[in-house]
Amino acid sequence: RVVMAITDATRNPAAWLAGISLLGLSLGAVQYVQSRRRLKIIAYRWVLKVPVLGRMLRTGSLARFCSAASTMMFSGLDLLRCYKLAAGSSGSPLLEKDSANLAKSIQEGELASSHFEANQDIYPPTLTHMVAAGEEASQLPELLGRAGTYYEEECNYMVDALSAAIEPILLA
């Protein structure tokens, strides 16, 4: 029945017009939200609440953040610039927004792990503990690299689990 309904809809010019209009409105709405920083953060927080997608999105952005920060620290960039650029490369507007506060905290002499612990809605405890261990052992780039690898593997695992869950639906 669904296939027949889709076939009938593709033959109807009104359905094409409605579909194209809906697509155009959707793309325009997404572009408008992306151009407004405050709306982008609100939309991102909303998407993070979606059960599977939110966790996958958060894990992926943390993987990019950790890997980028680790790579830049290994290359000799200063800590403040590393965190700011890594937040920009993460794709998370929450990390980008918090990068200024993180830099301010570090300039005031606070450890990054203390800032992470105070902002657990952005930085998970696993990352906080790994950064604290890296700061204590003077091996922050290595442990950020390990955290990046951990989050990347976790994100890959979630994608595989989601694919396995969706596969029977697609085959039906």
Side-chain angles (χ1 to χ4, degrees), residues 46-57:
W46 181 78
V47 170
L48 286 179
K49 292 179 184 177
V50 175
V52 176
L53 181 64
R55 188 165 176 230
M56 215 178 330
L57 189 63

Side-chain angles (χ1 to χ4, degrees), residues 131-151:
V131 168
E135 289 170 337
E136 287 178 25
S138 296
Q139 294 184 341
L140 186 57
E142 291 89 353
L143 284 168
L144 274 172
R146 287 183 188 175
T149 302
Y150 166 75
Y151 285 119

Side-chain angles (χ1 to χ4, degrees), residues 14-172:
W16 277 97
L17 183 61
I20 291 171
S21 299
L22 185 63
L23 179 67
L25 286 173
S26 298
L27 290 175
V30 167
Q31 188 175 24
Y32 179 76
V33 167
Q34 290 291 328
S35 68
R36 306 285 191 252
R37 183 176 177 172
R38 185 167 174 252
L39 287 176
K40 187 177 181 179
I41 291 172
I42 291 169
Y44 191 80
R45 283 190 190 271
W46 181 78
V47 170
L48 286 179
K49 292 179 184 177
V50 175
V52 176
L53 181 64
R55 188 165 176 230
M56 215 178 330
L57 189 63
R58 182 178 186 194
T59 304
S61 65
L62 286 170
R64 287 186 298 273
F65 173 77
C66 293
S67 297
S70 173
T71 302
M72 286 184 268
M73 285 179 196
F74 272 125
S75 69
L77 245 59
D78 64 295
L79 194 61
L80 299 177
R81 189 182 278 171
C82 285
Y83 280 131
K84 185 174 176 104
L85 292 173
S89 70
S90 71
S92 168
L94 298 177
L95 288 172
E96 288 179 41
K97 180 182 176 189
D98 189 60
S99 66
N101 296 333
L102 176 59
K104 184 179 176 188
S105 296
I106 292 171
Q107 284 177 334
E108 292 173 354
E110 187 178 334
L111 294 174
S113 59
S114 301
H115 179 82
F116 290 179
E117 191 172 356
N119 295 290
Q120 288 187 358
D121 58 324
I122 301 172
Y123 307 100
T126 306
L127 178 61
T128 303
H129 294 303
M130 290 190 84
V131 168
E135 289 170 337
E136 287 178 25
S138 296
Q139 294 184 341
L140 186 57
E142 291 89 353
L143 284 168
L144 274 172
R146 287 183 188 175
T149 302
Y150 166 75
Y151 285 119
E152 187 176 337
E153 288 174 359
E154 190 170 325
C155 189
N156 289 338
Y157 171 75
M158 284 187 266
V159 168
D160 291 343
L162 182 63
S163 298
I166 291 176
E167 187 175 356
I169 297 169
L170 294 175
L171 294 176

